[in-house]
Amino acid sequence: NAYQEAYDYCTRGKELIKPLQESAERKETELSLELLAGVCLASLKGYAAIEAQEAFSAAQSMSRNIGNKSLLFQTLAGLWSFELIRGELRSALDLAKRKMILASALRDSGCLVEAHMSMGISLFYTGSFLSSRDYLKKCLDLYDIQKHTYLTSLYGWDPAVVSLCYLPSAVWILGEPDS
């Protein structure tokens, strides 16, 4: 399995960098490996797996000491998926809001696509179908297949595909099946 092999490489990589001198580069590399391990574990064991949550929580702790806000965003995305799948909808919505604030501050189109998808899905599950529809449509409006296909490797899902899975249900519930 490719995810198992990637996870094994992450584990090996984390062991190899332990003896290296503390530096910003080492911390960022360690955080990147932890994030990749979280994505691999979510893909191997499920997004609600405790092991995935532990990896993303460890990454969140590491990200507090690193100024890389893009890596913090990836950490929040991993935690959001865990909370959502576990049915912790308020927590998932809070994380989606944090992602939206951070994505806006970063002005990164990929983060904005992901944040809109997260808000749309979180609002869908909390019964806010009108707002859900708007966020999912915005995700699709922002998505550019030429620029954003890399998002799948970062998060383990393609925000446009996921939005296209939820949007029809939201518009159907709103009584707009033809929109």
Side-chain angles (χ1 to χ4, degrees):
N1 185 321
Y3 284 111
Q4 183 63 55
E5 189 174 348
Y7 176 74
D8 292 342
Y9 282 125
C10 289
T11 303
R12 179 76 176 127
K14 289 189 287 185
E15 290 300 317
L16 289 172
I17 63 172
K18 277 184 182 176
L20 297 178
Q21 185 176 3
E22 283 283 322
S23 69
E25 184 181 19
R26 177 186 165 230
K27 288 179 181 181
E28 217 168 278
T29 300
E30 189 175 12
L31 175 54
S32 294
L33 288 168
E34 197 65 51
L35 285 167
L36 182 56
V39 170
C40 291
L41 287 166
S43 297
L44 286 166
K45 298 178 178 261
Y47 288 99
I50 294 298
E51 296 90 342
Q53 187 260 351
E54 289 170 348
F56 290 124
S57 292
Q60 184 180 34
S61 294
M62 289 179 208
S63 69
R64 290 187 182 114
N65 302 322
I66 297 173
N68 188 324
K69 300 297 184 195
S70 294
L71 292 176
L72 172 59
F73 186 88
Q74 290 176 48
T75 299
L76 295 176
L79 292 170
W80 170 81
S81 67
F82 174 80
E83 296 293 340
L84 183 80
I85 301 301
R86 297 277 294 206
E88 301 295 337
L89 301 180
R90 288 287 158 213
S91 180
L93 183 58
D94 289 343
L95 286 163
K97 288 176 182 176
R98 288 178 60 194
K99 287 171 62 178
M100 185 61 70
I101 291 167
L102 186 53
S104 296
L106 288 169
R107 295 185 178 146
D108 177 276
S109 66
C111 291
L112 286 166
V113 166
E114 168 64 21
H116 280 85
M117 182 218 66
S118 300
M119 282 296 295
I121 293 172
S122 297
L123 290 164
F124 180 89
Y125 282 117
T126 58
S128 300
F129 300 111
L130 188 60
S131 294
S132 172
R133 179 201 65 194
D134 294 344
Y135 276 103
L136 294 170
K137 281 185 174 183
K138 184 67 173 179
C139 170
L140 294 172
D141 289 344
L142 293 170
Y143 188 86
D144 179 341
I145 196 163
Q146 301 300 319
K147 290 178 14 183
H148 296 123
T149 54
Y150 75 94
L151 296 173
T152 303
S153 63
L154 286 182
Y155 306 117
W157 58 78
D158 183 304
V161 172
V162 175
S163 293
L164 287 169
C165 291
Y166 281 86
L167 185 57
S169 296
V171 297
W172 185 269
I173 290 167
L174 290 169
E176 305 168 353
D178 297 326
S179 66

